[in-house]
Amino acid sequence: MIIDHFSLHGFTALVTGCKRGIGKGIAEALAEAGADIIGVSTSLEPTGSDVEQAVAARGRKFTGYTCDFSNRDAVHEFIRDVTARHPRIDILFNNAGNILRKPAAEHPEEYWDKIIEINLNAQFLLSRDLGKLMLERGWGKIVFTASLLSFQGGINVPGYAASKGGVAQLCKALANEWAGRGVNVNAIAPGYIATDNTAALRADPDRSRQILERIPAGRWGRPEDLQGAAVFLASHASDYVNGIVLPVDGGWLGR
């Protein structure tokens, strides 16, 4: 039956940036579809986190890690640890990310370096090293969290826009090499979702009004709006889908 193609029973998924917001929603969705979850965030509690409880409530196993994705050595150490303890990771969801706002003419190099390291470099390293293991097994799913700024330039966020443009191209580059070897690489581009990253925009009455006026759906998105796309791209239902950046944006890009 077609619904069986969306099942993740028997799979293990690694979700980065899982503590809250989009990442937490994705971890919950993959668990509800049947996957055990390995979660990692910069400040994830060792035990008893909200995301762990949510996964357990869906009858699935959760293993939590912390990693500072702005620290290259910490990323390498995390990869060594997680692959040693979990030799079979079927699904990698590269969701961890950050945003720092400052006009381009005043944008500090420290902002640029930090955002590129978290949003792009760490995701390449995870994809390369876990992707290699998937290639050896002949099957796997890698999904990136891209952005509307994979398509547009944004305002006051040059590092973020550059990183998310890079994520979209990295997704396509990996898909070109790995699609014929059983590993699907795709991305989701969330629209304006009500999370910590958009708190400043939602708190600005003028900017929030301008954003809502452009969204045909007429509202800010919620993390659960991304769950269907996440399960689709992580499951056998998307076995012939490679290198796409799927907008989930309330119609923003169609405007």
Side-chain angles (χ1 to χ4, degrees):
M1 296 179 65
I2 185 61
I3 195 65
D4 294 333
H5 293 291
F6 292 86
S7 172
L8 300 180
H9 285 279
F11 293 151
T12 297
L14 169 58
V15 182
T16 72
C18 70
K19 184 174 180 177
R20 55 184 174 267
I22 290 173
K24 180 172 179 285
I26 289 167
E28 292 172 355
L30 301 185
E32 193 164 324
D36 291 327
I37 304 299
I38 303 165
V40 56
S41 287
T42 301
S43 58
L44 186 67
E45 300 88 342
T47 60
S49 64
D50 288 346
V51 64
E52 179 178 2
Q53 294 178 49
V55 169
R58 289 159 172 81
R60 308 313 306 172
K61 180 181 178 182
F62 180 87
T63 307
Y65 291 83
T66 59
C67 180
D68 178 0
F69 289 104
S70 70
N71 183 322
R72 185 78 60 92
D73 291 337
V75 174
H76 284 300
E77 182 178 353
F78 167 67
I79 293 171
R80 286 193 296 269
D81 190 14
V82 75
T83 54
R85 293 179 58 188
H86 308 273
R88 184 183 181 100
I89 296 172
D90 305 287
I91 301 157
L92 168 61
F93 219 110
N94 274 313
N95 171 72
N98 203 346
I99 189 168
L100 293 172
R101 302 177 188 278
K102 201 81 169 179
E106 306 161 15
H107 206 78
E109 291 177 25
E110 293 80 8
Y111 278 23
W112 175 273
D113 290 342
K114 182 174 183 177
I115 295 305
I116 295 295
E117 195 66 35
I118 295 171
N119 293 8
L120 186 58
N121 293 346
Q123 299 197 23
F124 166 70
L125 295 173
L126 283 160
S127 300
R128 181 193 65 188
D129 291 0
L130 272 68
K132 181 179 180 179
L133 298 175
M134 294 176 181
L135 291 168
E136 291 173 357
R137 295 192 299 270
W139 195 88
K141 301 280 184 172
I142 298 175
V143 187
F144 293 91
T145 298
S147 170
L148 292 181
L149 299 196
S150 297
F151 304 95
Q152 301 173 325
I155 299 170
N156 295 333
V157 287
Y160 183 83
S163 72
K164 291 301 185 176
V167 162
Q169 293 304 104
L170 177 59
C171 165
K172 296 171 187 177
L174 297 180
N176 286 343
E177 294 191 36
W178 296 350
R181 300 175 64 186
V183 177
N184 297 78
V185 185
N186 293 290
I188 297 172
Y192 284 92
I193 309 296
T195 65
D196 292 350
N197 276 359
T198 60
L201 297 177
R202 288 180 286 118
D204 182 331
D206 291 336
R207 189 75 178 104
S208 181
R209 174 185 52 78
Q210 292 168 356
I211 288 168
L212 286 172
E213 286 175 349
R214 177 167 169 164
I215 300 173
R219 64 171 176 85
W220 287 80
R222 300 181 288 267
E224 52 264 37
D225 290 319
L226 304 167
Q227 291 179 328
V231 171
F232 168 61
L233 292 177
S235 70
H236 281 296
S238 62
D239 279 353
Y240 198 59
V241 179
N242 299 280
I244 68 159
V245 181
L246 174 62
V248 183
D249 63 355
W252 174 279
L253 289 175
R255 203 63 181 259

